[in-house]
Amino acid sequence: MVFKRMLQAFGVGGPSVDTVLTNPNCRPGGFLEGQVHVLGGDHAVDVEYVAIGLMTRVEVESGDNEYQTNQEFHRQRLTGSFRLEPGARHDVPFRFEVPWQTPITEVYGQHLHGMTMGLATELEVARAVDKSDLDAVQVHPLPAQERILEALLRLGFRFHKADVERGRVYGVEQELPFYQEIEFYPPAQYASGINQLELTFLPTPHKLQVVLELDKRGGMFTEGHDAFGSFDVEYATADQVDWTGQLDNWLRQAASRRGLFF
């Protein structure tokens, strides 16, 4: 009997959890829907709660060191406590709100290299090992984000990679403790001045905040440095703006203010 209780404490013969998403594709500010299936094991257990949360991989700078860690950034508790009998099944439907500033992971059907996103399910069982499940989630850009990405591609920028960095961006509304950077290689007409362009989206329910960072190319007698710029995109009028021309003008103005010419 003592041995059996020890096995139960380590989760042997205990309940299992399986999350089924109706659709793993979503957009910032949208929803994920599905069901959590909790299946009883060979003995009755007291479930404290069932919760789900979005997780992504975050890069953290600490002193002179950098490391990556999985970070849950939005969580929803789906149930309170309940008794789960042996072999019983408990289904929990959910509608999970995706935060507006959730990093995107897909563009035009292609996965952004360097991005991970998953919906984690946690089953907290009294006096036993927690059970968990992780389901991949694909976050697609908002239409306004697509307009900016399309404009950069028309200008000849080439996608390099994306990552999520812990920290805050100055001068914008930021709701999460991290931000996404999407990095592009410049086309020939800009390559003499910059090494790469870094793009950050920070959507809100009312507008899309866009932050651009130019990684300046250093010369023989000068040291390279970063140049920042930001602007807002109104959702209602995003389709009415020539973003290719706007971005080209901004890049040239930003470069000329810093002594770069292309």
Side-chain angles (χ1 to χ4, degrees):
M1 180 62 70
V2 173
F3 182 66
K4 184 176 181 180
R5 285 199 298 268
M6 288 177 59
L7 290 177
Q8 292 177 6
F10 284 102
V12 178
S16 61
V17 59
D18 180 36
T19 300
V20 179
L21 290 167
T22 303
N23 186 345
N25 298 280
C26 64
R27 281 178 166 170
F31 295 90
L32 288 167
E33 296 181 318
Q35 285 198 347
V36 177
H37 304 306
V38 184
L39 304 176
D42 59 13
H43 54 273
V45 296
D46 293 315
V47 176
E48 300 288 345
Y49 63 83
V50 177
I52 54 176
L54 270 178
M55 297 185 67
T56 191
R57 194 80 171 155
V58 177
E59 186 174 294
V60 182
E61 290 188 10
S62 178
D64 296 330
N65 300 318
E66 289 186 359
Y67 65 92
Q68 289 192 334
T69 183
N70 292 326
Q71 180 165 345
E72 182 182 88
F73 60 94
H74 187 54
R75 183 179 179 87
Q76 181 178 333
R77 186 174 288 205
L78 302 181
T79 74
S81 59
F82 61 92
R83 182 77 168 175
L84 186 66
E85 299 297 332
R89 172 168 164 162
H90 189 76
D91 294 335
V92 184
F94 65 84
R95 179 176 168 88
F96 181 84
E97 184 176 344
V98 178
W100 277 94
Q101 294 180 3
T102 299
I104 61 174
T105 65
E106 319 291 316
V107 176
Y108 305 122
Q110 299 296 316
H111 182 73
L112 288 181
H113 175 67
M115 289 304 304
T116 60
M117 187 71 61
L119 185 70
T121 305
E122 181 184 0
L123 176 69
E124 176 82 9
V125 180
R127 299 178 300 280
V129 175
D130 298 343
K131 299 293 184 179
S132 62
D133 187 26
L134 184 64
D135 295 87
V137 170
Q138 290 80 47
V139 185
H140 299 262
L142 296 164
Q145 292 173 313
E146 290 180 342
R147 299 291 87 78
I148 303 300
L149 292 168
E150 288 170 359
L152 288 174
L153 294 177
R154 288 196 191 100
L155 288 171
F157 283 88
R158 294 176 293 113
F159 173 74
H160 173 40
K161 67 182 181 71
D163 61 16
V164 178
E165 299 188 11
R166 184 176 294 173
R168 306 200 67 81
V169 180
Y170 176 76
V172 297
E173 297 177 40
Q174 185 176 342
E175 64 180 28
L176 299 175
F178 54 71
Y179 57 92
Q180 181 181 34
E181 282 191 343
I182 306 174
E183 299 180 8
F184 296 87
Y185 290 126
Q189 65 264 34
Y190 303 111
S192 61
I194 58 175
N195 288 322
Q196 64 184 23
L197 174 69
E198 296 178 350
L199 167 67
T200 294
F201 289 128
L202 291 164
T204 75
H206 311 292
K207 64 184 179 181
L208 171 64
Q209 302 170 115
V210 181
V211 180
L212 295 172
E213 178 180 351
L214 299 179
D215 179 13
K216 177 179 174 181
R217 186 181 296 279
M220 183 178 298
F221 302 108
T222 61
E223 182 178 350
H225 65 273
D226 298 333
F228 295 86
S230 64
F231 58 90
D232 294 341
V233 179
E234 301 297 329
Y235 295 127
T237 58
D239 288 338
Q240 303 169 22
V241 178
D242 174 18
W243 291 112
T244 305
Q246 292 272 49
L247 287 174
D248 182 59
N249 288 336
W250 183 87
L251 289 168
R252 293 181 184 278
Q253 291 173 11
S256 65
R257 285 197 301 268
R258 292 161 178 82
L260 304 176
F261 300 95
F262 42 71

